[in-house]
Amino acid sequence: MVLEKQVFLFLNIVHNSMKQRISETFRMGGFQLTPEQFLVMDTLWDEGVLTQQQIADITMRDKNSIVKLIDGLESREYVQRVSNPEDRRQNLIKVTPYSLTIKDRIEELAYSSVYGILGEIPREVLKSFVHVLARLEKNMDSSSDLEALAEKYPTNKNNNG
């Protein structure tokens, strides 16, 4: 198989498998949550109250998909929309007290799943892989800068590196 074809095929397979594994982990843990919804929740837990557009910018998703994700999270009482007092046309998204009570368990499930997927891959290899992924994105969208995004929105998690 041509190397370029393997890259395309393998990225697609790994992406789909990773989403399925994480979804299954949440389901087995008693939470109806998709990996995409988790990323929205994790962003809100880390950054605080945000507009839908800010969430879209941080997670690099289009605003329409964020609206659908927030609809699902709101129906499960994980988040709530409140009008922005400075701009009534804009919704602010904030986590609910309920979601704060389940935050640690959801994060534990997510990270244990990811750590299981990453296995014994050395951190330096993972850092190189992240750099390659950022370069792939930049090749597709010259305005994209995933590494700058990571610096702008660093995780508050203690991940030893």
Side-chain angles (χ1 to χ4, degrees):
M1 185 181 293
V2 176
L3 179 60
E4 292 79 5
K5 187 175 180 181
Q6 283 181 328
V7 169
F8 175 75
L9 179 64
F10 289 11
L11 278 174
N12 188 52
I13 291 168
V14 170
H15 173 255
N16 290 328
S17 295
M18 193 168 184
K19 285 175 56 172
Q20 288 175 352
R21 171 75 61 92
I22 293 169
S23 292
E24 179 68 11
T25 299
F26 287 143
R27 190 183 68 72
M28 297 297 290
F31 298 102
Q32 187 181 359
L33 194 65
T34 68
E36 295 84 2
Q37 289 172 327
F38 169 73
L39 291 175
V40 170
M41 291 304 304
D42 196 51
T43 299
L44 290 167
W45 286 326
D46 283 351
E47 302 297 327
V49 178
L50 297 170
T51 65
Q52 291 173 175
Q53 187 60 57
Q54 288 171 316
I55 295 168
D57 292 344
I58 292 169
T59 60
M60 295 187 71
R61 298 185 67 93
D62 66 272
K63 191 173 176 185
N64 289 335
S65 67
I66 292 299
V67 169
K68 290 177 184 175
L69 292 170
I70 290 169
D71 286 345
L73 292 169
E74 191 173 39
S75 73
R76 291 181 192 91
E77 299 183 1
Y78 291 168
V79 300
Q80 66 183 73
R81 288 178 170 99
V82 294
S83 292
N84 185 344
E86 296 173 12
D87 183 351
R88 307 288 281 166
R89 299 167 296 168
Q90 202 175 56
N91 284 321
L92 298 175
I93 310 303
K94 63 186 233 175
V95 298
T96 62
Y98 169 68
S99 76
L100 291 173
T101 66
I102 60 174
K103 173 184 182 269
D104 290 344
R105 181 67 182 134
I106 289 174
E107 286 182 335
E108 177 185 312
L109 290 168
Y111 292 113
S112 70
S113 184
V114 170
Y115 293 143
I117 293 166
L118 296 177
E120 299 297 320
I121 300 171
R123 291 196 66 74
E124 288 307 311
V125 172
L126 290 173
K127 288 178 183 179
S128 294
F129 180 62
V130 167
H131 179 72
V132 168
L133 292 172
R135 289 287 304 270
L136 290 172
E137 178 63 20
K138 184 106 176 147
N139 290 344
M140 292 181 283
D141 178 358
S142 62
S143 67
S144 176
D145 191 348
L146 295 179
E147 291 173 333
L149 182 72
E151 288 177 25
K152 184 175 180 180
Y153 298 104
T155 180
N156 293 331
K157 309 286 183 281
N158 179 7
N159 58 9
N160 301 320

